[in-house]
Amino acid sequence: MRFVALILALLLAGCGGERDERTELVVQRFFGACEAEYGRSTDVAAAQGECGIMTAIINKFEAENPDIRVVENVVFWPGYDQLTAQLASNDTPDLVTMHGSVIADYQARGLLSPIGEDLAAAGIAPDAFTDAARAAVTIDGEIWGMPIDTWAPLWHINTNLFRKAGLMRGDQPILPTSPEELFAQAEQFSARTGKPYFVQGTANEYAGFTRNFYTFVMQQQGDLFVGGRANFRTPEAAEALRLFKQIHDRDMTTKNQDYSAAVSGFLRGDGGVFLVGTWMVGDFEAEAQTTDRALSGGYAVVPYPRLYARDVTFADGHGFVMPTDADRTPKEREAAMRFLKFFAAHEYDWSRTGHLPSLQAVIDSPEWRALPHRGALATLATNAAPLPKEVRRQFPIETIVGQEAAAAISGAKPIPQALADMERRVNAILDQL
């Protein structure tokens, strides 16, 4: 029996194959899964959409770096609950996609490694990034991640309907410069098209309410947070809610649509301006290039117009961070930096998603400027503004702000009560830090 067991053991050992000696690099990301279409693709230039382009870049990196085995871990958006569980169980990825607004939460608890010096050694100095991108990853003068983009809410415009409404000047949409002009244009648009001016996803979708609220408080030069605490009971905050309450009450927007319904509605031509982010630019432009569609030959996209004193739009961004791991070897850290350098070299490809590039050189390049609508979006490099880094817990705060803003805009609460409740609930979170 022992002889038979020995023979079986030798056979099993022989069947095991050679040990993989490559350095393992675990890259954890959101942006969806698309293995069926892009699982083996290394053609980055042919890839489309966030998932496709990200997957192709990772595949190409592994193909061109045969000494590194990339483990791509795709998480359900945004992935922070899973990341927190992994960190607690010492199952730490090497690189993780993270919103700039979330970095401070992990950095404050000692869960991230600073990588500014490593990036500089790889030829990516902090001053290579745009102002908005650099601010997203900088805390106390140190760089805590490599930004890969800046995203912001935008005005996606059906210019076919704008032309029917008499709101085009040549091939450019006429944009309002004050709340009064906005209301006048919306009335004219509805009278001539029979459709609402705005398309919005407002059912169970609080992020849009928050982004609008932040943007128009910022445009009035209001302070959303003072000394690390919410500061919402202000004239500027009340005005931002009044603006969208009037839009709601005067039927200048679609209502009771969730995000998917709003996207479908805009594609059908249900309204003139869809308030949604940079990530939809590529999809809507592709629709505009397709015949017999509501957007065929009739799509434009611009940053939020300045309705008040300051030209600014609330923004956030995506980046790669390195979670702290005492067991990470120098080879694994070097592999991570090699990947980040490779991704930075493909920043133009990533920017085809519609997100604004994080590298100023890409924004200044003729290649990027030649992409559809990018000239109109380039101003976001300087006038996109995130919340201050000292404001932590921004994801749960976003939900609270959106819930209270939605209540005020729908009329479920008076505006002063909604702002008071908003401030109280947000400060309760901040007080627990």
Side-chain angles (χ1 to χ4, degrees):
M1 289 293 294
R2 288 182 181 178
F3 177 76
V4 172
L6 177 62
I7 294 297
L8 288 173
L10 290 171
L11 287 172
L12 290 171
C15 292
E18 296 183 2
R19 181 180 177 183
D20 193 336
E21 299 292 341
R22 294 177 296 172
T23 300
E24 183 177 277
L25 175 66
V26 181
V27 178
Q28 184 158 302
R29 67 164 184 85
F30 39 72
F31 302 118
C34 47
E35 287 296 305
E37 187 172 2
Y38 292 105
R40 296 180 180 275
S41 175
T42 59
D43 189 353
V44 178
Q48 296 293 327
E50 290 176 321
C51 183
I53 295 172
M54 176 68 73
T55 302
I57 289 175
I58 292 174
N59 291 343
K60 186 175 179 65
F61 171 79
E62 187 171 31
E64 295 184 7
N65 293 269
D67 59 320
I68 297 174
R69 181 170 73 91
V70 179
V71 177
E72 184 180 5
N73 186 15
V74 180
V75 295
F76 184 75
W77 188 94
Y80 301 129
D81 290 341
Q82 180 171 329
L83 175 61
T84 298
Q86 289 170 310
L87 295 175
S89 62
N90 294 318
D91 181 22
T92 309
D94 296 302
L95 294 172
V96 175
T97 50
M98 185 171 284
H99 293 85
S101 58
V102 177
I103 290 176
D105 289 330
Y106 288 86
Q107 182 270 344
R109 291 180 285 160
L111 299 176
L112 299 181
S113 296
I115 61 172
E117 292 183 2
D118 299 271
L119 291 176
I124 309 171
D127 60 5
F129 299 119
T130 65
D131 293 345
R134 185 169 57 252
V137 298
T138 303
I139 302 174
D140 297 332
E142 283 200 271
I143 302 294
W144 294 90
M146 189 186 84
I148 61 174
D149 62 49
T150 297
W151 62 256
L154 303 171
W155 278 32
H156 301 264
I157 300 171
N158 183 325
T159 56
N160 293 327
L161 290 176
F162 259 51
R163 182 165 283 105
K164 185 177 180 180
L167 293 174
M168 295 290 290
R169 184 177 293 114
D171 61 351
Q172 297 299 313
I174 299 172
L175 302 176
T177 61
S178 68
E180 293 73 26
E181 284 190 11
L182 170 60
F183 297 140
Q185 287 192 10
E187 294 286 358
Q188 178 175 322
F189 183 92
S190 180
R192 296 190 183 185
T193 67
K195 300 173 186 285
Y197 188 80
F198 286 116
V199 175
Q200 296 184 81
T202 57
N204 300 315
E205 177 62 37
Y206 298 116
F209 287 104
T210 302
R211 294 163 191 159
N212 291 334
F213 175 72
Y214 286 166
T215 292
F216 288 111
V217 172
M218 289 177 172
Q219 285 200 2
Q220 296 172 78
Q221 300 178 314
D223 292 319
L224 289 159
F225 293 85
V226 175
R229 292 179 60 79
N231 180 52
F232 300 147
R233 290 184 292 178
T234 65
E236 295 85 4
E239 170 61 18
L241 292 186
R242 277 195 297 269
L243 175 71
F244 278 89
K245 181 167 174 52
Q246 287 191 64
I247 289 169
H248 175 275
D249 291 349
R250 295 166 68 172
D251 294 326
M252 296 174 175
T253 181
T254 57
K255 299 176 181 177
N256 303 317
Q257 292 183 332
D258 63 15
Y259 180 83
S260 296
V263 172
S264 298
F266 183 67
L267 292 174
R268 289 194 304 267
D270 286 354
V273 179
F274 187 17
L275 303 178
V276 73
T278 50
W279 52 89
M280 294 304 301
V281 172
D283 291 335
F284 290 158
E285 176 59 24
E287 190 78 1
Q289 299 303 317
T290 306
T291 57
D292 299 322
R293 303 291 175 86
L295 290 180
S296 296
Y299 170 63
V301 58
V302 297
Y304 273 39
R306 188 182 78 177
L307 301 185
Y308 298 97
R310 182 184 174 200
D311 189 8
V312 63
T313 300
F314 167 73
D316 200 347
H318 305 113
F320 282 107
V321 298
M322 177 178 283
T324 301
D325 184 357
D327 296 327
R328 184 175 292 116
T329 67
K331 279 190 174 182
E332 289 168 341
R333 190 176 183 95
E334 188 275 333
M337 291 306 128
R338 209 191 307 174
F339 174 80
L340 293 181
K341 183 177 181 179
F342 185 87
F343 198 99
H346 286 276
E347 178 75 3
Y348 164 79
D349 292 296
W350 180 246
S351 74
R352 292 190 291 106
T353 59
H355 298 312
L356 195 75
S358 65
L359 295 171
Q360 187 64 47
V362 177
I363 290 180
D364 294 337
S365 69
E367 185 180 27
W368 184 80
R369 297 271 176 166
L371 289 172
H373 315 294
R374 275 17 180 228
L377 301 181
T379 57
L380 291 172
T382 54
N383 66 12
L387 293 184
K389 268 290 174 281
E390 61 265 23
V391 181
R392 290 165 54 192
R393 306 296 292 152
Q394 289 189 33
F395 259 53
I397 286 173
E398 176 184 90
T399 299
I400 291 171
V401 171
Q403 288 173 341
E404 297 296 343
I409 291 166
S410 68
K413 286 185 181 182
I415 288 175
Q417 181 186 340
L419 290 173
D421 291 346
M422 185 190 297
E423 183 173 291
R424 174 183 52 78
R425 293 176 64 193
V426 169
N427 281 333
I429 288 181
L430 297 175
D431 287 342
Q432 295 173 11
L433 295 176

